[in-house]
Structure formats: structure tokens, C-alpha cells
Amino acid sequence: MASKDIETHRAGAEVYHGATLCKQKAQELLEKFRLPKTLMPCNNLVEFGFNQITGFTWLKQQKTTKYRLKDIGISSFASEMTGFLEDGRMRKFTGIKSKEMMIWVPLSDIAIDRSDLNKIIFTALMGLSKSYPLTAFEIEPEEIK
């Protein structure tokens, strides 16, 4: 499904290849939309795309990668991730999971809390949400092998 969505939004999109350039462009885009640049680890990307008209973005990496953020826990990033970016928010995202009490929970929405701009809210597909301080994203996450 992700590949189909990517092909639908590829026309007119900015597309980048190569780990260094993809990481740079992905982090620039996250900052442009006022999201932490370490929100999505970008060390293993092979393709990054963004359609400015629709807000659709995609990230491709060679394999699923897991990361640990000290104050948050473990997250898993699929080989293909897709979603829409808007100011302070990533919505309808696919390919991102968070481990909560030994269960992998797919995330669909990540947004800066409008009532407290120092917090970020993660929402799962089933509507459950959890917030964290933005300061948790000030350090680079550790990749889990």
C-alpha cells in the first residue's frame, strides 16, 4: 500500500537519493514544519520524497530499523514510511511503531501539543495517545541492532 501511495504522489515531488542527502533533506523538512529533527532517525535512508502541493512525504530505507530514545523507549521504523506533513504535525503516517509494555503499537499521528508547545503527542491507530516533553528529542536516538 505504501508503494502505491508513493507512486500516486511522486509526480511533482522533490525526490532525493543517498543516505547523507536524504538525512539532510528529511531533517530540514521536519524543522520547517516545526517538528524535532530527531523525531525520525534518518541514518539509513535510501530515498526521501516530499510533494509540496499535497504535503505527502515518504522515506525509504533498506530494512526496518529500531531505535531507542532514552526518555521514550523503543520505536520501529519500517522500510517504507509515508504520511502527510503540516505545521507541527505528521498525520496518517504508516510504518512507525512504538513498543508499549511488550506490544508494538502502530502510530498514525504525531503533533506538537497546541495547549503546551513544549510537549509532543503520539496517537495510535486505535485512538490512544501519549505525550512527551520535546526535550526528549534533543539527543540522537541509539540504533538497536
Side-chain angles (χ1 to χ4, degrees):
M1 183 67 171
S3 292
K4 185 178 177 183
D5 288 341
I6 292 169
E7 291 311 313
T8 301
H9 291 274
R10 188 178 285 279
E14 302 169 22
V15 182
Y16 303 97
H17 296 92
T20 303
L21 183 59
C22 287
K23 180 177 182 172
Q24 174 193 339
K25 293 299 183 179
Q27 289 181 337
E28 286 174 3
L29 193 64
L30 287 170
E31 285 184 305
K32 175 182 175 182
F33 284 95
R34 298 184 314 123
L35 293 164
K37 69 178 186 177
T38 59
L39 186 60
M40 298 179 65
C42 303
N43 295 331
N44 302 311
L45 296 178
V46 294
E47 182 176 294
F48 168 72
F50 177 65
N51 186 316
Q52 200 161 14
I53 295 167
T54 64
F56 185 81
T57 191
W58 69 90
L59 302 98
K60 290 184 180 183
Q61 52 185 1
Q62 291 178 353
K63 62 183 174 103
T64 297
T65 310
K66 293 178 182 150
Y67 289 90
R68 179 189 330 268
L69 262 169
K70 182 182 174 206
D71 296 333
I72 294 179
I74 299 174
S75 297
S76 174
F77 298 86
S79 59
E80 288 187 355
M81 297 161 278
T82 64
F84 294 87
L85 286 173
E86 51 192 56
D87 188 40
R89 183 175 178 205
M90 297 166 55
R91 63 181 176 82
K92 294 185 180 179
F93 248 77
T94 65
I96 304 173
K97 296 179 187 175
S98 177
K99 193 167 190 177
E100 296 292 329
M101 296 180 14
M102 299 174 38
I103 298 171
W104 285 103
V105 179
L107 300 176
S108 63
D109 197 269
I110 301 170
I112 302 298
D113 187 340
R114 302 258 183 229
S115 64
D116 183 350
L117 299 177
N118 294 312
K119 291 190 177 189
I120 189 165
I121 302 169
F122 292 80
T123 305
L125 287 172
M126 65 279 285
L128 300 172
S129 64
K130 191 169 185 178
S131 67
Y132 298 96
L134 277 175
T135 55
F137 295 92
E138 291 176 350
I139 57 167
E140 282 285 327
E142 165 195 353
E143 185 174 350
I144 300 171
K145 302 282 182 181

